[in-house]
Amino acid sequence: MLKFADNFLQAIIVYGTLSISVQDDNARSYKGKLEGPSVGLHFRTRKAFWRFLLNPELALGEGYMDGDIEITEGDLKALFELSWKNFENIQKGSIYKYTIQPFIRVQHLWRNYNFAKKSKRDVAHHYDLSDEFFSLFLDSDRQYSCAYFESPQNSLEEAQHNKKLRLAKKLHLSPEQKVLDIGSGWGGLSRFLANQFDVHVDGITLSEKQYTYATQKAKEAGDANRVKFALMDYRAVQGPYDRIVSVGMLEHVGEHFLPIFFQKISSLLNENGVALIHTIGVPTSKNRNLMGNYNNPWIEKYIFPGGYLPSLPQLVQAVTKSGLMATDIEILRVHYAETLNAWRQNFYAKLPEIRKMYDERFIRMWDFYLTGSEMLFRTGRAVVYQIQLIKQLNTLPITRHYMAR
């Protein structure tokens, strides 16, 4: 069995160097032909080591958060870089390709059917954590999505303000318009649009804690006459609306429900309306995750159950079938890496407070999640798409100058 492990690891490590020790055994090193980071891993148990060999995408994160895997050389960033450069080679190995991978694919297909009740349960899994926890690492407006860094010197607060303003410009708002915010979170964008552009906003979310916070915040700020929130699935909303915006919600729709989502947008939007969808996606189907065309099983199990990152062709196809017209598509690169880096630094700075709320396993889980997500965008394996949609050809100006005003 040890010989099998040696052959397996030497075959997949073509970039950088991976050193592994199991329990009290001496470390064994696997060096690739291409230059890359050097990472050392210590497995406290043989069970953790064999789970890693059989299903590295899931077992690496589980082992780290459980404390069964220690990084003895390098850091989490180096580990993710080494993993993504090498683990895709597992697809070439018949044992993984014809045994473990098909099983995970079937699992993902089942988990990705996001019917209304399941969607609410999945959202609660992540977003209904302590409100105080999110306030420790997000900006003051609790924007839990990609910021826009107009300058490397921008603070997180400034970059999130830039993002909200950029979204507003693309919506081409006019006073008294009726706006729908799908996936309104803690309500920051809804309140911003209502206050800065004199529009009426309906925000919907599936998170009970987000709904409670957003409603109370609007009431305290005296915005309740212009901003209203509802605990509602997007499929239950009744229109029409002049403008529709959705930020960081499409990732929770699911692969099979993409056409339904855009058809719903089309049915809710009035004939001269504008919709703007801001979502994480993958630049190519090859980069949908580490090793195939299903989502990362660790992220799916522990962070975002039911999540799915679409490619641009998938989005365009779903838009086209809905009868909507895409008038502007912007691809934000690296902005989310910088956002996640800021969140991660805030997370580290607030560890004493976080330890009063959650245990070490939770902290290691979130460290793994934030670092891995940052590296996902830092290496170009994921980007953010902003897609502007209309129904009528002449709804918007024929140049993009209005976005710069």
Side-chain angles (χ1 to χ4, degrees):
M1 295 296 284
L2 187 58
K3 184 178 180 181
F4 160 75
D6 274 339
N7 292 338
F8 178 75
L9 289 168
Q10 193 59 67
I12 66 170
I13 302 299
V14 297
Y15 174 87
T17 303
L18 176 63
S19 298
I20 285 180
S21 61
V22 183
Q23 288 186 327
D24 297 328
D25 295 346
N26 293 328
R28 306 173 76 87
S29 186
Y30 307 93
K31 184 174 177 59
K33 297 177 181 178
L34 303 176
E35 289 296 320
S38 293
V39 175
L41 297 178
H42 175 67
F43 293 80
R44 292 180 179 273
T45 67
R46 296 193 183 279
K47 180 181 178 181
F49 176 60
W50 287 109
R51 290 187 70 240
F52 166 74
L53 290 178
L54 290 172
N55 189 0
E57 277 196 301
L58 179 61
L60 188 61
E62 287 186 331
Y64 182 81
M65 61 192 268
D66 291 337
D68 291 332
I69 299 176
E70 285 184 284
I71 300 175
T72 57
E73 181 183 358
D75 56 18
L76 268 179
K77 283 190 173 184
L79 175 60
F80 279 109
E81 182 182 350
L82 185 89
S83 300
W84 289 333
K85 290 285 188 178
N86 290 296
F87 283 2
E88 58 192 24
N89 296 319
I90 294 176
Q91 286 195 86
K92 301 173 185 176
S94 59
I95 292 178
Y96 183 87
K97 184 176 181 180
Y98 295 112
T99 57
I100 305 298
Q101 192 180 41
F103 174 73
I104 297 173
R105 175 61 175 165
V106 170
Q107 260 192 337
H108 165 69
L109 289 172
W110 172 251
R111 289 174 178 169
N112 204 239
Y113 273 96
N114 292 332
F115 299 108
K117 287 185 179 180
K118 181 179 180 297
S119 292
K120 189 176 189 306
R121 187 170 62 247
D122 288 347
V123 165
H125 177 90
H126 187 83
Y127 294 96
D128 281 350
L129 295 172
S130 164
D131 274 345
E132 185 184 354
F133 169 67
F134 285 104
S135 71
L136 291 175
F137 67 91
L138 298 179
D139 65 301
S140 61
D141 209 21
R142 293 194 189 180
Q143 292 294 300
Y144 194 30
S145 58
C146 177
Y148 190 80
F149 289 82
E150 293 184 350
S151 163
Q153 283 70 49
N154 281 156
S155 66
L156 177 63
E157 203 77 29
E158 291 168 335
Q160 290 292 12
H161 177 81
N162 296 342
K163 184 269 298 293
K164 290 181 288 187
L165 188 57
R166 193 170 188 81
L167 292 169
K169 289 177 179 179
K170 291 185 178 184
L171 285 168
H172 200 51
L173 298 164
S174 297
E176 298 303 318
Q177 285 181 329
K178 190 177 178 183
V179 180
L180 174 65
D181 183 359
I182 301 178
S184 51
W186 288 276
L189 177 62
S190 295
R191 294 194 305 273
F192 175 82
L193 297 179
N195 289 326
Q196 298 297 319
F197 296 91
D198 201 22
V199 294
H200 297 272
V201 185
D202 291 339
I204 63 167
T205 178
L206 290 177
S207 166
E208 294 186 11
K209 288 196 173 182
Q210 287 184 335
Y211 163 73
T212 301
Y213 177 89
T215 302
Q216 183 62 31
K217 195 77 173 177
K219 183 178 179 181
E220 291 173 356
D223 297 332
N225 61 327
R226 285 199 167 272
V227 186
K228 291 181 172 58
F229 296 98
L231 196 63
M232 183 184 296
D233 188 280
Y234 72 93
R235 286 161 286 203
V237 179
Q238 300 296 313
Y241 286 91
D242 301 300
R243 299 292 187 265
I244 299 175
V245 64
S246 180
V247 179
M249 183 272 179
L250 187 67
E251 301 93 319
H252 303 283
V253 166
E255 180 178 5
H256 308 287
F257 289 87
L258 287 175
I260 293 173
F261 176 81
F262 285 104
Q263 287 164 11
K264 185 63 178 181
I265 296 291
S266 181
S267 70
L268 291 172
L269 200 62
N270 71 30
E271 289 304 305
N272 292 309
V274 178
L276 185 60
I277 311 301
H278 169 119
T279 181
I280 302 170
V282 291
T284 67
S285 58
K286 179 182 177 182
N287 288 337
R288 188 163 296 165
N289 65 11
L290 307 189
M291 291 180 288
N293 292 330
Y294 51 84
N295 274 7
N296 178 279
W298 185 85
I299 287 287
E300 191 169 52
K301 182 176 181 179
Y302 292 99
I303 307 297
F304 292 118
Y308 181 79
L309 305 185
S311 65
L312 187 57
Q314 284 180 305
L315 292 170
V316 171
Q317 184 180 44
V319 166
T320 303
K321 288 182 177 180
S322 73
L324 295 166
M325 179 187 301
T327 45
D328 187 85
I329 299 176
E330 183 176 11
I331 302 173
L332 304 183
R333 300 162 290 109
V334 188
H335 289 273
Y336 218 155
E338 295 300 324
T339 306
L340 282 152
N341 179 61
W343 290 346
R344 192 165 53 84
Q345 297 308 318
N346 290 344
F347 179 83
Y348 292 156
K350 298 294 185 178
L351 280 178
E353 290 96 322
I354 295 172
R355 284 193 169 98
K356 294 176 183 178
M357 294 183 276
Y358 298 105
D359 60 16
E360 290 299 318
R361 185 175 186 269
F362 178 90
I363 289 170
R364 291 168 71 88
M365 177 177 73
W366 268 74
D367 190 11
F368 195 84
Y369 155 56
L370 291 173
T371 305
S373 297
E374 178 186 338
M375 292 302 291
L376 190 72
F377 291 94
R378 189 78 67 190
T379 57
R381 290 177 171 270
V383 295
V384 171
Y385 296 116
Q386 286 188 353
I387 305 178
Q388 185 191 59
L389 305 168
I390 61 173
K391 282 185 171 182
Q392 297 293 333
L393 185 65
N394 296 317
T395 297
L396 292 166
I398 62 173
T399 70
R400 302 173 81 246
H401 299 323
Y402 66 94
M403 294 185 190
R405 295 197 193 104

